[in-house]
Amino acid sequence: MLARKELPEIGEYVVATVREIYDYGAYVTLDEYGDLKAFLPWSEVATKWVKNIRDVIREGEKIVVKVIRIDRARKEVDVSLKKVSDIDKRKKMMWWKRYVKATKIAELVAESLGKTKDAAYKEVIWKLEDSYGDPLYALEEAVLSGRDILEKAGIPSEWIEPLLNEAKRHIKVKEVSIRVRLLIQSRHPDGVERVRKVLDVIAESLNSENVKFKLYSAGAPRYILEVYSHDYKTAESIVEKILKKAEEASREYGVIFKGEREKA
């Protein structure tokens, strides 16, 4: 992997590969820093005393470590395993797996364009990382929303279509949905028209935000709204926003309104 900077920062969590194990500690290479060699002292392997370091780690294993010392002049780095919590480990490994997947996609496109792997990082991965934090998230969004996501990150035009096509082959974005039962009722003589206006507000609001949805009758005055997204947090935010707009429209048109999310 091409490193963006020569050395990590103190306190940074990094993915490492265990290379050599001795009684006094182990030597690892930092995957994110061009396989830079780092030292894992025996005292930093585990929170509890261990007789044999190999009871905790083994050669070839990928681990998450925390940087505890840096000698920039000598380019020497010491790391700790015991200072990494299970939560930090899971978060870092999840980020790492996603980052690697994004780089593999970019490298495949680089090869098809006759470009180097270094170009894949400099012209794609790092630009996506700067704009969106997570390069794979950016590619997922591009698969869902189109080339604008890549263009906004400053990806050169020659990369965009091949990158989109390759991303679609490797990324299957899961779709989730939230189902809401609606009660929309009016006792006015023109009640049908008033109810229709509230339904129109719901549909127009969702369309204006480019949200995938279904809105249909379950037998008046009951209706079903299904909102689709690639994650529950986004879907829930959309539903909350739309229900507020529907309540406001219902008050304006003198319509009885109630929205209730169905339990999974």
Side-chain angles (χ1 to χ4, degrees):
M1 175 172 287
L2 186 64
R4 291 197 75 170
K5 54 184 181 178
E6 191 174 33
L7 295 168
E9 302 295 329
I10 291 177
E12 184 176 344
Y13 294 101
V14 292
V15 175
T17 303
V18 180
R19 297 300 181 188
E20 304 166 60
I21 299 175
Y22 300 95
D23 292 337
Y24 56 84
Y27 287 96
V28 302
T29 51
L30 308 184
D31 294 41
E32 299 161 67
Y33 290 90
D35 291 333
L36 174 71
K37 196 171 186 178
F39 179 58
L40 171 61
W42 174 85
S43 60
E44 293 294 332
V45 171
T47 54
K48 296 180 180 180
W49 183 85
V50 291
K51 184 176 181 180
N52 192 329
I53 295 178
R54 286 182 171 82
D55 291 337
V56 182
I57 57 175
R58 64 183 184 275
E59 281 96 344
E61 180 182 6
K62 287 203 182 294
I63 57 176
V64 175
V65 293
K66 186 176 184 178
V67 178
I68 57 173
R69 188 188 72 85
I70 299 174
D71 184 329
R72 296 192 178 277
R74 296 183 178 183
K75 296 184 176 61
E76 293 178 348
V77 178
D78 286 358
V79 296
S80 171
L81 179 61
K82 74 178 186 181
K83 289 184 171 65
V84 180
S85 69
D86 288 341
I87 292 175
D88 291 327
K89 177 183 176 181
R90 285 196 297 270
K91 285 171 62 177
K92 183 64 183 184
M93 287 306 299
M94 183 180 294
W95 176 89
W96 171 249
K97 288 175 182 177
R98 290 176 59 80
Y99 196 88
V100 168
K101 184 173 182 178
T103 61
K104 294 299 182 186
I105 292 171
E107 287 173 2
L108 285 170
V109 175
E111 186 178 356
S112 72
L113 294 174
K115 290 179 173 286
T116 64
K117 287 185 178 181
D118 284 9
Y121 286 89
K122 294 174 181 177
E123 298 181 33
V124 177
I125 295 300
W126 293 349
K127 288 180 182 292
L128 294 179
E129 187 175 10
D130 289 341
S131 297
Y132 300 101
D134 178 349
L136 188 62
Y137 166 79
L139 293 175
E140 289 169 343
E141 286 296 307
V143 169
L144 286 168
S145 307
R147 59 185 293 133
D148 284 356
I149 299 295
L150 304 178
E151 290 173 345
K152 287 176 182 177
I155 304 300
S157 58
E158 62 185 314
W159 284 88
I160 291 179
E161 282 305 318
L163 196 56
L164 263 178
N165 293 334
E166 196 64 42
K168 288 175 181 176
R169 279 193 281 270
H170 295 275
I171 296 173
K172 303 299 178 186
V173 181
K174 293 180 181 179
E175 188 175 70
V176 300
S177 66
I178 291 179
R179 199 165 187 258
V180 183
R181 290 185 178 276
L182 305 175
L183 173 68
I184 310 176
Q185 189 175 28
S186 173
R187 297 190 176 92
H188 292 82
D190 60 344
V192 173
E193 181 64 19
R194 292 177 185 235
V195 168
R196 186 188 63 77
K197 287 181 178 179
V198 174
L199 291 170
D200 285 347
V201 167
I202 294 171
E204 288 167 8
S205 298
L206 289 163
N207 282 325
S208 69
E209 297 194 26
N210 296 315
V211 176
K212 182 180 175 182
F213 71 96
K214 291 180 182 177
L215 179 59
Y216 54 91
S217 173
R222 303 186 183 282
Y223 301 86
I224 301 294
L225 170 63
E226 295 176 359
V227 173
Y228 300 86
S229 182
H230 56 282
D231 67 86
Y232 280 109
K233 186 177 180 180
T234 301
E236 286 168 352
S237 176
I238 292 166
V239 166
E240 184 179 353
K241 185 177 180 180
I242 294 305
L243 289 181
K244 285 182 180 178
K245 287 190 175 183
E247 287 171 358
E248 291 170 0
S250 297
R251 285 195 294 270
E252 180 183 347
Y253 296 118
V255 171
I256 298 167
F257 176 85
K258 183 179 179 182
E260 186 177 53
R261 176 178 167 177
E262 282 192 358
K263 294 181 179 180

